[in-house]
Every structure is written in C-alpha cells, then in structure tokens.
Amino acid sequence: MVSKDKQKDKVTVTLVRSTNGRLRAHKACVSGLGLRRMHQTVSVDDTPYNRGMINAVSYLLKVEEA
C-alpha cells in the first residue's frame, strides 16, 4: 500500500499532431491517455501501461516530466 506522503509521479502529455488518417490502435492510445483535441494537455500517472501508450504514439505527442 502506498502511503499518503508519497505521491505518484506524473507525466504531462500534449497532443501536437492530428489523429486523422492514423491507425485505429494509435487513435485508441491517444484517447486512452485522455486526449480529445489538438493542443490539449493532460497529466497522467507514470505507469508502465501509460508509458507503453506514450511510446506507441510518441510522434503525435509532446511529453514533459512533471
């Protein structure tokens, strides 16, 4: 169990390229990260699952360590 003092690491992700004409799986990764429109920024937990989605569509995103 994680103590309340320790906060999970976060990653800030911004969609900088359109998903039009992309693979269905890549569109699913973008929506799975919580991104809906261009230049939208979201903060997601830094987990292996999210890292995998970020790596799959890294050419569409700008990623910043929070």
Side-chain angles (χ1 to χ4, degrees):
M1 179 168 236
V2 178
S3 66
K4 292 183 180 182
D5 297 339
K6 183 179 178 186
Q7 294 180 348
K8 287 190 174 185
D9 294 333
K10 295 282 191 173
V11 178
T12 303
V13 183
T14 304
L15 185 63
V16 294
R17 297 188 68 185
S18 175
T19 59
N20 289 345
R22 307 295 177 192
L23 295 173
R24 184 179 300 164
H26 289 193
K27 289 182 181 183
C29 286
V30 170
S31 67
L33 289 168
L35 295 165
R36 296 175 183 224
R37 61 186 67 87
M38 291 284 297
H39 307 293
Q40 181 182 5
T41 302
V42 296
S43 182
V44 296
D45 292 335
D46 190 9
T47 62
Y49 181 77
N50 286 337
R51 278 291 177 177
M53 290 194 292
I54 290 168
N55 288 336
V57 293
S58 61
Y59 65 99
L60 298 174
L61 307 173
K62 182 175 90 173
V63 181
E64 299 172 351
E65 302 291 328

